[in-house]
Amino acid sequence: MAPWTRRGRLAEGLRTYRLVAGMWVRSTMAYRASFAMTAFGNFAATFLDFAAIMLMFSRVDALGGYPLSEVAFLYGLSAVSFGLTDLGIGSMDRLGRRVRDGTLDTLLVRPAPVLAQVAADRFALRRLGRVTQGALVLGWSLTRVDIDWTADRLLLMPVMVVSGCGIFCAVFVAGAAFQFVAQDASEVQNAFTYGGTTLLQYPPTVFAKELVRGVTFVLPLAFVNWLPATYVLGRPYPLGLPRWLAWAPPLVAVGCCALAGLAWRAGLRSYRSTGS
Amino acid sequence: MGAGRLYAAVAAGGFRRYATYRAATAAGVFTNTVFGLILVYTYRALWDEKPHLGGYDQAQAMTYVWLGQAFLSTLAIGGGGFEDELMERIRTGDVAIDLYRPADLQLWWLAADLGRAFFQFLGRGLIPFVFGALCFPLYLPADAGTWVAFLVAVALAMLVGFGIRYLVALSAFWLLDGTGVMQMAWLAGFFCSGMLLPLNVFPGTLGEVVRVLPWSSLLQAPADILLGHGDPLPTYLRQAAWAAALLGAGRLVQSAATRRVVVQGG
Amino acid sequence: MGEFIALEQVEKVFEVRRKAGFLRRERREVRAVDSLSFTVARGEMVGYIGPNGAGKSTTIKMLTGILTPSGGRLRVAGIDPARERARLAHRIGVVFGQRTTLWWDLPLIDSYRLAHRMYRIPDARYRENLGRLVELLELGELLDVPVRQLSLGQRMRGDIAAALLHDPDVLYLDEPTIGLDVVSKAKVREFLRELNAERGTTVLLTTHDLQDIEQLCSRVMVIDHGRLVYDGPLAGLHEAGESERTLVVDLERELPPVEAPGARVVRVEGPRQWLAFPAGRSAAPVVAHLAARYPLVDLSVREPDIEAVIARMYAERAVS
C-alpha cells in the first residue's frame, strides 16, 4: 500500500471515522431504552440550561444591555456550533482513560489514523439532543430579533456556524493532546469546551474587559459567535475592533485547527516515545 | 474491629482514594474556577439590573456562585460520587459479595462517600472559593459562629446528597443500564439544587416548589445560613428530615433489592 | 528469507520522574530494553519470556510500531515499525491477552466485518479466511452472539481470529492462555501449532505458562532487566534449572503432612496440602499412592511457572 499522501490521509481518516462511528451507533442500539432516555436527557439538560436564562429574564428585561431575544440568538449559535462538534468528536476527552488503561495501544496496531479512531470513539447519536435544543432556541430567537437582513449578514450565518465548529474542534483536539501529557486532567478540557460554550451564551458586555480580550486574542473563542453575531445584530463589540473582523472566523478556525493538529502530533509522538 | 472503627476506616479509605488523584484534583479546581468566573459575571450583570433580587445584594450573589462551585464536586451534584461504582457492581453482580460482608451496605457506602465528600470539600472546594474571595468583593461573615453553623449545614447536606444518590444507584437492581436514570438525577440535582440560579430567585409557584424539594438542602440551605438568610435551627430540621426520609427509603429499597438478589441466587 | 524480524542493539530508555520531597521531582533514566539483538526467521515460533517488568512488553510494543526505540535498528518484514506504523499493521496481527479488541455489545461477526473493511481485505480472501478460522477455532455458533456474552476462552479464540483475518505474516500473542480453562488452552495451542505448521505464520509469544512454550515453541528467548539472558531450545532452559511441579491435594479433613515416595509436602493449609515433585516425572504414581492411603476430595497439578524456572536458572549460574 502506498504511503499516505496529505489528501489520502484525510480521505483515510474520514473513512476510518465513518467505520468506527458506525460500529458505535450499532452498539448503542443494543440498549434502545437507555438510548432513548439519554437522548432525551441530553436534550433536557441543555433545555434546563436555557430555562435558567429564561428564569433570569422573568426578573429582568436585559442582561448586559441585551434583551432575551438577542441572548437567545447568541445562545443558539454557541449551542449549535458546540453541539455539532460534541456530536462529532465529543468523546475525545476519554483519551486520558485510554492511555491509562492501555487500550490506546490497540488502536495503534491498526492500519488507520489514530486521530480518526479516537475522534469516533464512543460516537453517540444521543448528543443530537443538544444540537436540537440549540437549533430550537436559535430558530425561536430569529423570529424575535430585529435584524436588518442584508445579503452579507445572511451569508455570515452559515459561515459562523461552520467556523464555530472548526474552532471547537480545535479545542477538543488540543485538549486530547494535552491528555497525552496529563492523563488524569480530562476535566481541564471541560473548562474550555463546556465552559467555552457557556461563556459564549451570554453577551460579551457582561464580562470584564480582560476576560473578553483573553477569549478574543489568546484563546479565540470569541470568533465562534461574539464577533460575527454582534455584527449581524448591528451592535458594537466591547473592544472596539474593526467591523471586518466579523468575517475572520473561517481564518481563525483554520489556524486553530492547524495548531491543534500540531499539538496532537506532538502529543502522540511523546506517547510513542514514553509509552506512559 | 468495632463497627464505628470499621466505618471510620472505610471513610478514611474514601478520602485517601480521591487524594491520590492529584492531577485530577488540580484539573477540577481549574474547571470549577473557570465556571465560577463565567457565572460570577452573569450574576453581576443580573444584580446590576435588579439589585436585591431574591433578597441578596450583589456581594451575596457572588458569594453564592463560589459556594456553588465549592459544593459541585463535594456533594457530587453533577455526578462523580460513589454511585457509578455501586451501579457497576450491581450490574456485574459483584454486589452479592458486598452483601456477604459483615457490614451494612448502606452504611459502608455512606462512609466511603463521606470520606470522598470531605476530601472534595478540602481539595476541590476550598481553592476556587478562596480565589473568588480574593478576586471579588464577597460577603463573608466576620463571626465564627456563622461559619460553624454553616459547616453543620454542609455536613447535613452531605447526608441528603448521599441519600438521593443511593436511591439512584439502587435503581440499577431493576434496570439493566442505569445511565439514563443517573442522567435524570443529575439534571434534577443541577436545576433544583440552585446550581444554575439561586432558588430564591425562582419566580412564583415554581420557586415555592423547588424550595421544598430535597435538593434545596444541598446548596441553598448552607448558603442561606452563611449569607445570613435563614435561621440555622429550622434549616437543620428541614435538612435532617430529608436526610432521615431519604436514608429510610434507601433502607427499604435496599432490603427489597437484597431479597431480589437472594432469590436470583446472587 | 532468513531474517524476518531483526533487532540490532535496540534500546529503549524511559525517563521516570519520581517525587523527592514536597514539590521537587528528580529525573531518572530507566533502561527498559538494553542493547537487545536477535533475529527471528520466517516461520519460526518463538517464546519470549521473562519476569514482570523485564522489558517483554516494551519489546513487543517496539515491534508493533507502538513505541519508538531510543536507539538501535529494528526491522519487521523489512519495515521500520516506528516510521511506517500503518504499513506494518497490514503485515502483523496482535492479540493482547487481557484486552479484547472485539466490540463488546455487538455480535462477534460485526468485529470481523469491521476488520474486513478497515484492513481492506479483498472480499474473496475475507470469506475464505473467515470460513477457515471459524472452522478451526470453532466459532460457528458464536458469530451472532454479542461479545459480552462469550466466555473468556471463546473470546480469546474470537480475538485470535480477528488478528488473522488479514493474513498477517507474523502474529504477536501476549499471554494468549491467561485465565483460560484447560480445554480452551488446549484448543488455542492446537490452533497455533497448525497455523504455524500449515501457513508458515511467524509467531512470537509472551506467556507466564511454561506449558505454552513446551507445547508450541522450539525456541525460547528469556529477557531480564532489558537484556537477553537466554536464547535457545526450551530443553536447555529446563536443564539450566531442574524444575518441580506441584500437586495440590484436598483432603477430607485436616491431617498431618502426607507421605508419598518421590514427593515432599511443601505447604499445608487446613485440609489442603501442596506436594512438590520433579517436573520430568509423571504424577500418576504419587496420585495412586495417595489415593490408596488418604481420604482425597480433589487433586490438581500445577506446572512450574516461568518465574520459578528463571529464578533457578540464576541460582545455578551463581553456583557454577
Side-chain angles (χ1 to χ4, degrees):
Chain A
M1 207 178 132
W4 296 325
T5 56
R6 188 171 291 269
R7 251 186 79 193
R9 258 189 108 86
L10 184 65
E12 189 67 24
L14 289 174
R15 179 173 182 273
T16 303
Y17 180 88
R18 241 188 8 254
L19 287 176
V20 176
M23 294 293 275
W24 280 111
V25 171
R26 302 177 48 150
S27 287
T28 33
M29 288 308 160
Y31 301 102
R32 265 163 218 278
S34 182
F35 168 76
M37 214 153 153
T38 49
F40 174 75
N42 205 272
F43 177 85
T46 41
F47 175 77
L48 286 183
D49 206 33
F50 189 68
I53 292 179
M54 298 213 297
L55 285 180
M56 288 182 185
F57 277 94
S58 74
R59 296 305 189 86
V60 296
D61 297 325
L63 209 56
Y66 282 58
L68 178 60
S69 59
E70 292 184 358
V71 172
F73 183 65
L74 289 176
Y75 181 101
L77 286 167
S78 166
V80 169
S81 285
F82 180 76
L84 285 172
T85 312
D86 185 48
L87 172 68
I89 64 172
S91 291
M92 287 205 83
D93 60 353
R94 293 174 52 89
L95 184 84
R97 194 183 297 204
R98 277 198 172 270
V99 171
R100 262 197 320 260
D101 66 16
T103 52
L104 185 68
D105 291 348
T106 61
L107 307 186
L108 275 158
V109 298
R110 292 187 188 146
V114 185
L115 180 58
Q117 294 185 65
V118 173
D121 196 20
R122 302 221 158 223
F123 177 84
L125 278 178
R126 68 178 140 80
R127 297 202 175 113
L128 273 170
R130 183 184 289 275
V131 184
T132 313
Q133 185 265 354
L136 285 175
V137 172
L138 183 61
W140 177 80
S141 78
L142 287 175
T143 65
R144 296 298 180 91
V145 281
D146 182 23
I147 292 173
D148 175 18
W149 284 112
T150 55
D152 65 331
R153 282 180 173 152
L154 212 54
L155 178 63
L156 193 52
M157 292 292 287
V159 170
M160 194 172 5
V161 170
V162 172
S163 313
C165 289
I167 294 171
F168 274 126
C169 270
V171 175
F172 270 104
V173 172
F178 179 63
Q179 288 186 40
F180 278 119
V181 189
Q183 290 116 50
D184 291 331
S186 66
E187 262 206 80
V188 169
Q189 193 158 354
N190 293 348
F192 295 107
T193 52
Y194 291 94
T197 183
T198 308
L199 175 84
L200 298 176
Q201 288 163 2
Y202 294 95
T205 46
V206 162
F207 299 97
K209 279 265 168 51
E210 304 83 64
L211 188 64
V212 178
R213 275 197 201 99
V215 295
T216 308
F217 301 119
V218 184
L219 183 75
L221 289 172
F223 291 88
V224 171
N225 66 349
W226 277 357
L227 268 157
T230 46
Y231 176 81
V232 172
L233 290 171
R235 281 181 170 274
Y237 190 65
L239 301 181
L241 297 173
R243 301 304 288 175
W244 58 263
L245 270 179
W247 289 92
L251 280 177
V252 173
V254 169
C256 287
C257 286
L259 285 175
L262 288 178
W264 170 263
R265 285 172 68 168
L268 188 60
R269 193 175 315 123
S270 110
Y271 174 78
R272 291 179 68 195
S273 66
T274 61
S276 58
Chain B
M1 189 154 37
R5 292 223 347 241
L6 170 70
Y7 295 116
V10 172
F15 184 96
R16 267 200 306 277
R17 196 171 141 198
Y18 281 84
T20 49
Y21 299 112
R22 281 155 190 264
T25 305
V29 165
F30 177 77
T31 307
N32 285 143
T33 309
V34 169
F35 272 95
L37 267 177
I38 295 169
L39 274 181
V40 97
Y41 283 113
T42 59
Y43 280 28
R44 205 176 64 176
L46 194 59
W47 264 264
D48 267 342
E49 291 283 332
K50 202 145 205 159
H52 304 294
L53 181 61
Y56 287 164
D57 63 20
Q58 203 170 51
Q60 285 173 317
M62 289 191 184
T63 312
Y64 185 91
V65 168
W66 293 106
L67 280 180
Q69 291 308 311
F71 285 177
L72 184 60
S73 53
T74 304
L75 302 177
I77 294 172
F82 70 98
E83 57 276 14
D84 298 314
E85 195 186 342
L86 177 54
M87 283 174 119
E88 185 61 20
R89 289 186 76 79
I90 294 172
R91 206 174 63 78
T92 57
D94 287 351
V95 73
I97 302 165
D98 302 350
L99 289 171
Y100 287 109
R101 264 200 296 237
D104 179 74
L105 190 69
Q106 190 186 32
L107 283 176
W108 175 281
W109 287 103
L110 174 62
D113 195 55
L114 287 180
R116 176 204 60 79
F118 195 58
F119 171 75
Q120 305 275 43
F121 186 61
L122 296 176
R124 280 190 63 165
L126 222 49
I127 299 173
F129 190 80
V130 170
F131 172 87
L134 291 176
C135 299
F136 296 91
L138 297 193
Y139 172 94
L140 301 169
D143 64 314
T146 310
W147 286 96
V148 173
F150 161 73
L151 289 178
V152 173
V154 173
L156 285 166
M158 288 177 184
L159 286 180
V160 176
F162 171 82
I164 296 171
R165 287 174 292 121
Y166 192 65
L167 284 172
V168 171
L170 290 188
S171 72
F173 274 109
W174 288 271
L175 300 165
L176 192 65
D177 178 59
T179 337
V181 182
M182 204 143 77
Q183 197 178 21
M184 292 298 153
W186 172 79
L187 274 180
F190 225 72
F191 191 72
C192 301
S193 66
M195 210 64 214
L196 295 169
L197 203 61
L199 298 183
N200 46 16
V201 175
F202 281 45
T205 324
L206 179 63
E208 278 161 36
V209 172
V210 288
R211 284 190 286 274
V212 187
L213 293 175
W215 291 281
S216 67
S217 296
L218 298 181
L219 169 59
Q220 192 70 47
D224 275 341
I225 289 181
L226 188 74
L227 300 175
H229 249 259
D231 280 332
L233 268 182
T235 309
Y236 294 163
L237 273 177
R238 213 177 52 240
Q239 284 183 299
W242 271 121
L246 289 164
L247 293 175
R251 288 238 83 119
L252 286 177
V253 176
Q254 176 185 328
S255 60
T258 317
R259 273 197 300 279
R260 215 176 128 83
V261 171
V262 173
V263 169
Q264 285 177 343
Chain C
M1 187 161 165
E3 301 174 353
F4 189 67
I5 299 174
L7 285 83
E8 261 173 57
Q9 302 288 317
V10 170
E11 300 195 341
K12 183 70 209 174
V13 182
F14 295 120
E15 200 168 78
V16 182
R17 265 174 293 185
R18 222 176 30 150
K19 255 185 53 179
F22 180 59
L23 281 172
R24 232 156 36 84
R25 272 155 198 263
E26 64 183 27
R27 291 177 170 194
R28 204 163 50 94
E29 281 196 347
V30 175
R31 279 177 187 274
V33 168
D34 196 1
S35 54
L36 187 65
S37 304
F38 64 77
T39 59
V40 175
R42 184 180 276 259
E44 266 196 285
M45 194 145 169
V46 182
Y48 192 53
I49 63 178
N52 286 331
K56 272 179 309 192
S57 62
T58 304
T59 314
I60 299 289
K61 283 182 185 178
M62 287 192 286
L63 286 171
T64 48
I66 296 170
L67 281 181
T68 322
S70 326
R73 196 184 122 94
L74 194 154
R75 291 289 180 274
V76 176
I79 297 171
D80 178 354
R83 301 193 56 173
E84 293 186 84
R85 184 185 63 73
R87 192 156 81 97
L88 179 74
H90 286 281
R91 308 284 300 271
I92 62 171
V94 187
V95 177
F96 297 103
Q98 282 157 309
R99 292 194 289 269
T100 183
T101 53
L102 303 172
W103 288 74
W104 196 245
D105 287 317
L106 295 178
L108 188 56
I109 185 74
D110 286 18
S111 295
Y112 299 154
R113 287 191 184 126
L114 178 70
H116 175 196
R117 302 190 56 194
M118 195 178 263
Y119 284 85
R120 297 178 193 274
I121 307 167
D123 290 348
R125 213 173 90 196
Y126 168 74
R127 271 195 303 275
E128 189 200 316
N129 285 350
L130 183 66
R132 180 172 48 85
L133 290 166
V134 162
E135 192 196 319
L136 289 175
L137 287 162
E138 299 172 34
L139 296 170
E141 288 176 4
L142 306 177
L143 285 177
D144 295 320
V145 179
V147 173
R148 67 183 132 85
Q149 289 171 15
L150 299 183
S151 72
L152 203 58
Q154 294 170 333
R155 212 160 71 211
M156 177 51 68
R157 284 185 275 141
D159 258 312
I160 293 176
L164 291 171
L165 281 170
H166 58 287
D167 275 333
D169 299 310
V170 52
L171 179 65
Y172 301 104
L173 295 153
D174 183 19
E175 301 285 356
T177 57
I178 199 163
L180 302 193
D181 60 84
V182 186
V183 180
S184 301
K185 274 186 188 182
K187 277 186 190 166
V188 167
R189 286 178 190 142
E190 193 193 324
F191 171 80
L192 291 176
R193 224 180 351 252
E194 277 185 32
L195 176 80
N196 178 253
E198 282 169 26
R199 302 191 70 87
T201 307
T202 311
V203 178
L204 194 63
L205 172 79
T206 72
T207 183
H208 270 84
D209 190 331
L210 207 53
Q211 272 196 318
D212 284 347
I213 309 269
E214 229 161 41
Q215 299 186 9
L216 295 173
C217 308
S218 50
R219 176 182 169 198
V220 188
M221 291 191 285
V222 182
I223 185 173
D224 194 23
H225 292 102
R227 288 170 169 275
L228 202 60
V229 294
Y230 178 85
D231 186 350
L234 179 68
L237 189 60
H238 256 302
E239 282 159 19
E242 174 66 24
S243 54
E244 289 183 321
R245 290 199 284 173
T246 312
L247 183 67
V248 184
V249 183
D250 283 322
L251 302 163
E252 258 175 26
R253 56 183 184 279
E254 291 186 30
L255 286 174
V258 297
E259 278 172 25
R264 59 180 209 290
V265 175
V266 289
R267 190 170 154 206
V268 178
E269 207 171 85
R272 176 172 284 192
Q273 304 198 1
W274 282 259
L275 286 84
F277 63 99
R281 215 169 299 165
S282 161
V286 183
V287 173
H289 178 89
L290 291 174
R293 289 167 184 78
Y294 298 97
L296 297 185
V297 179
D298 199 6
L299 285 168
S300 62
V301 177
R302 297 215 182 134
E303 297 306 320
D305 68 346
I306 302 264
E307 254 134 63
V309 171
I310 293 170
R312 279 166 162 269
M313 190 174 102
Y314 276 116
E316 297 271 316
R317 271 202 193 162
V319 172
S320 62

